[in-house]
């Protein structure tokens, strides 16, 4: 077993950068999520009990930066599912689940799926953490994925995802992203119960927390405009 080192972190960052240069649209960033962003995304994950174990889903874990922050927040009877579309990232995660001490501790309670989230048969979860680059996806796909994830939350469950600050400037250069951001806002705004800013991340980001919809869902908030 190994513990994270500075050299391991550099190797992971290089692996992330390599995939960004090959598949920028699906990778979405040149670096893994920073520690502050990881903490914000996993803020609402609480351990379950032997009588009420909790189920957690992470979509787009990449090289596992958020997963490593998520792991110690799981109870001994809780389960984790990871869905990753990028093949090299899947291989990286599979190796980390065997050799990284933080992930190996939960490996027997973790299922790793290779593929697009919309192609998965999902269960029901108490928490979902989503790292997909929504701004790079077509509006119809955003609506489908958000609807799928919200429908997979148990009553009282939370869906947490992030978006980068500065979207307005990007939209002026890439007008298609304006449509994607609008679609994301429309799909998520009725369910938002909190948003926070993580300025220390590279690049800075918003984190949004959504509550599982109910038959009488009301408008609980809206995403701040970038």
């Amino acid at each position: 077993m190994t513990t994270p080192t500075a050299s391991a972190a550099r190797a992971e960052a290089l692996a992330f950068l390599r995939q960004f240069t090959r598949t920028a649209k699906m990778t979405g960033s040149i670096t893994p999520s920073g520690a502050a962003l990881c903490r914000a995304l996993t803020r609402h994950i609480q351990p379950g009990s032997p009588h009420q174990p909790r189920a957690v889903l992470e979509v787009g874990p990449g090289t596992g930066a958020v997963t490593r922050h998520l792991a110690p927040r799981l109870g001994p009877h809780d389960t984790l599912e990871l869905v990753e579309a990028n093949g090299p990232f899947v291989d990286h995660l599979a190796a980390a689940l065997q050799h990284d001490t933080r992930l190996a501790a939960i490996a027997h309670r973790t299922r790793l799926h290779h593929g697009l989230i919309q192609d998965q048969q999902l269960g029901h979860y108490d928490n979902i953490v989503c790292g997909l680059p929504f701004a790079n996806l077509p509006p119809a796909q955003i609506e489908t994925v958000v609807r799928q994830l919200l429908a997979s939350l148990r009553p009282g469950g939370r869906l947490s995802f992030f978006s980068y600050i500065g979207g307005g400037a990007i939209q002026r250069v890439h007008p298609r992203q304006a449509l994607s951001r609008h679609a994301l806002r429309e799909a998520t705004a009725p369910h938002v119960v909190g948003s926070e800013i993580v300025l220390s991340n590279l690049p800075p980001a918003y984190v949004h927390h959504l509550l599982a919809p109910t038959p009488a869902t009301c408008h609980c908030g809206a995403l701040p405009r970038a």
Side-chain angles (χ1 to χ4, degrees), residues 64-145:
V66 175
T67 319
R68 291 180 177 88
H69 281 76
L70 186 161
R73 302 185 72 89
L74 297 176
H77 301 279
D78 298 344
T79 58
L80 174 64
E81 290 191 50
L82 307 172
V83 178
E84 175 56 59
N86 182 292
F89 284 164
V90 171
D91 294 340
H92 184 99
L93 286 165
L97 284 165
Q98 295 183 44
H99 303 298
D100 186 312
T101 53
R102 287 182 293 181
L103 297 184
I106 62 166
H108 65 292
R109 295 181 283 121
T110 300
R111 291 201 299 166
L112 174 59
H113 307 278
H114 181 195
L116 298 173
I117 185 62
Q118 57 266 40
D119 295 334
Q120 307 300 313
Q121 294 292 324
L122 300 181
H124 290 92
Y125 309 94
D126 298 283
N127 293 90
I128 299 176
V129 176
C130 184
L132 294 181
F134 281 120
N136 294 344
L137 303 181
Q141 186 176 347
I142 292 171
E143 294 166 6
T144 297
V145 169

Side-chain angles (χ1 to χ4, degrees), residues 32-216:
S33 298
L37 179 56
C38 294
R39 287 192 295 270
L41 285 166
T42 58
R43 187 179 311 285
H44 293 290
I45 297 175
Q46 300 295 330
S49 68
H51 302 294
Q52 287 188 310
R54 299 174 71 84
V56 178
L57 169 67
E58 185 182 358
V59 183
T63 55
V66 175
T67 319
R68 291 180 177 88
H69 281 76
L70 186 161
R73 302 185 72 89
L74 297 176
H77 301 279
D78 298 344
T79 58
L80 174 64
E81 290 191 50
L82 307 172
V83 178
E84 175 56 59
N86 182 292
F89 284 164
V90 171
D91 294 340
H92 184 99
L93 286 165
L97 284 165
Q98 295 183 44
H99 303 298
D100 186 312
T101 53
R102 287 182 293 181
L103 297 184
I106 62 166
H108 65 292
R109 295 181 283 121
T110 300
R111 291 201 299 166
L112 174 59
H113 307 278
H114 181 195
L116 298 173
I117 185 62
Q118 57 266 40
D119 295 334
Q120 307 300 313
Q121 294 292 324
L122 300 181
H124 290 92
Y125 309 94
D126 298 283
N127 293 90
I128 299 176
V129 176
C130 184
L132 294 181
F134 281 120
N136 294 344
L137 303 181
Q141 186 176 347
I142 292 171
E143 294 166 6
T144 297
V145 169
V146 171
R147 190 181 309 115
Q148 179 189 23
L149 296 181
L150 288 172
S152 299
L153 284 172
R154 290 173 176 166
R158 298 288 181 109
L159 164 62
S160 299
F161 72 97
F162 68 93
S163 59
Y164 292 124
I165 295 174
I170 295 174
Q171 288 168 197
R172 287 190 287 273
V173 179
H174 302 285
R176 290 184 181 180
Q177 285 204 3
L179 297 176
S180 297
R181 289 177 179 271
H182 177 75
L184 181 61
R185 189 183 304 277
E186 290 294 306
T188 59
H191 312 287
V192 173
V193 292
S195 297
E196 53 191 295
I197 298 175
V198 184
L199 292 176
S200 60
N201 192 67
L202 182 65
Y206 291 114
V207 173
H208 310 292
H209 305 288
L210 280 60
L211 187 65
T214 64

